[in-house]
Amino acid sequence: MSDKFEEKIKNYRTAPFDARFPNTNQTRNCYQNYLDFHRCNKALSAKNQDPAPCEWYHRVYKSLCPISWVQKWDDQLESGSFAGRI
Amino acid sequence: MAHQAHAYHMVDPSPWPLTGAVAALLMTSGLAIWMHFNSVTLMSLGLVLLLLTMYQWWRDIVREGTFQGHHTPPVQKGLRYGMILFITSEVFFFLGFFWAFYHSSLAPTPELGGCWPPAGITTLDPFEVPLLNTAVLLASGVTVTWAHHSIMEGHRKQAIQSLTLTILLGFYFTILQALEYYEAPFTIADGVYGSTFFVATGFHGLHVIIGSTFLAVCLLRQVQYHFTSEHHFGFEAAAWYWHFVDVVWLFLYISIYWWGS
């Protein structure tokens, strides 16, 4: 399972089609992956496991999200005012 | 002596449409002045003119219908159409605010935390005062129907009692809602939740006050023997309006208070 994942990450070019977000408006796609990355990190760190699998979500949101959104949300996370549930 | 050969009402010239239009002008421009120059004079003047217009115009209609007999069956039919069309326009008015509510709540944005109610909003418990409010308005719908039947059956005292009870229930709703507003843990400025909640429920409350006033006028007229068991359209119009207000509340309760909590 790990090798396939490493391969996927190595061959990553951009975010693949996600059937959960089929329409033109991809806001939710970006937001969901941002959330999932942080939730994944939190969950795996809590169990003292390697957070490497979370890298997928990281790649996806980096591909999809406007940089200003990511900066804004990162700032909010730091200041504790992020509205989403991590 | 010439007299009309038809059953319709050719209304005598009246200044009230003009004063009403002037009032609308003063209120709207007064609103702009208030927003930009911090003065409520113009708007208040418009409001006073509006109140005077409403009082005198409707007083004249009562004179024409009840005292002068101009409200023949075809005329009354026209008045019915008019009231129905007006209420329909109000339905569309509220539809807009429901649209706004559902637009924001069905697809909550990341700014809200992607959820509804938004992150940080403590909603009101729908099974506390809002449920009581629902019961109060439903009961008032029953009492207004009781009043209608009393009028139709010529039971003067019961009509007065049931109409009074209806108005009291309307006041009770208004007071309860005012207290809720005062105690609410969120304000109109609290994001789109606050906006949709207070604009929708606020306009509804205004309509409750308007409806209660309309019913109160009917009570005064009933006491003064204006209504007959066959002809009491003013009361019917008030009752229709009151039922409309009740139905709007039911939609508000289900959508915003219950589903939206």
Side-chain angles (χ1 to χ4, degrees), chain A residues 41 54 67 73:
Chain A
N41 271 338
C54 306
I67 301 173
W73 293 334

Side-chain angles (χ1 to χ4, degrees), chain B residues 4-18:
Chain B
Q4 66 187 56
H6 60 82
Y8 296 97
H9 184 198
M10 300 300 286
V11 184
D12 289 334
S14 163
W16 312 131
L18 180 62

Side-chain angles (χ1 to χ4, degrees), chain A residues 22-86:
Chain A
N23 297 322
T24 308
N25 188 336
Q26 292 289 296
T27 303
R28 192 75 200 188
N29 195 350
C30 145
Y31 186 61
Q32 195 60 54
N33 279 285
Y34 184 85
L35 287 175
D36 289 344
F37 172 64
H38 287 94
R39 289 173 182 171
C40 175
N41 271 338
K42 183 172 174 199
L44 292 183
S45 309
K47 294 197 252 182
N48 288 319
Q49 286 173 13
D50 178 23
C54 306
E55 185 57 22
W56 176 262
Y57 301 120
H58 191 213
R59 293 288 191 100
V60 172
Y61 88 67
K62 277 248 173 288
S63 303
L64 291 174
C65 298
I67 301 173
S68 60
W69 292 11
V70 177
Q71 283 171 350
K72 184 176 65 180
W73 293 334
D74 286 343
D75 293 340
Q76 285 176 350
L77 271 177
E78 255 191 71
S79 70
S81 64
F82 185 67
R85 194 169 3 199
I86 302 286

Side-chain angles (χ1 to χ4, degrees), chain B residues 131-148:
Chain B
L131 187 58
L132 173 59
N133 273 341
T134 306
V136 167
L137 282 185
L138 286 174
S140 73
V142 170
T143 54
V144 81
T145 306
W146 174 18
H148 192 194

Side-chain angles (χ1 to χ4, degrees), chain B residues 12-28:
Chain B
D12 289 334
S14 163
W16 312 131
L18 180 62
T19 62
V22 171
L25 173 66
L26 295 184
M27 284 197 302
T28 46

Side-chain angles (χ1 to χ4, degrees), chain B residues 77-99:
Chain B
K77 196 157 162 227
L79 292 169
R80 284 175 191 277
Y81 275 131
M83 192 64 195
I84 287 169
L85 288 170
F86 174 64
I87 292 177
T88 306
S89 77
E90 294 249 78
V91 168
F92 282 105
F93 180 70
F94 277 97
L95 269 172
F97 297 119
F98 277 100
W99 182 355

Side-chain angles (χ1 to χ4, degrees), chain B residues 51-62:
Chain B
L51 292 168
L52 284 171
T53 301
M54 294 195 294
Y55 175 74
Q56 291 175 105
W57 195 339
W58 284 325
R59 175 207 63 195
D60 285 355
I61 294 174
V62 170

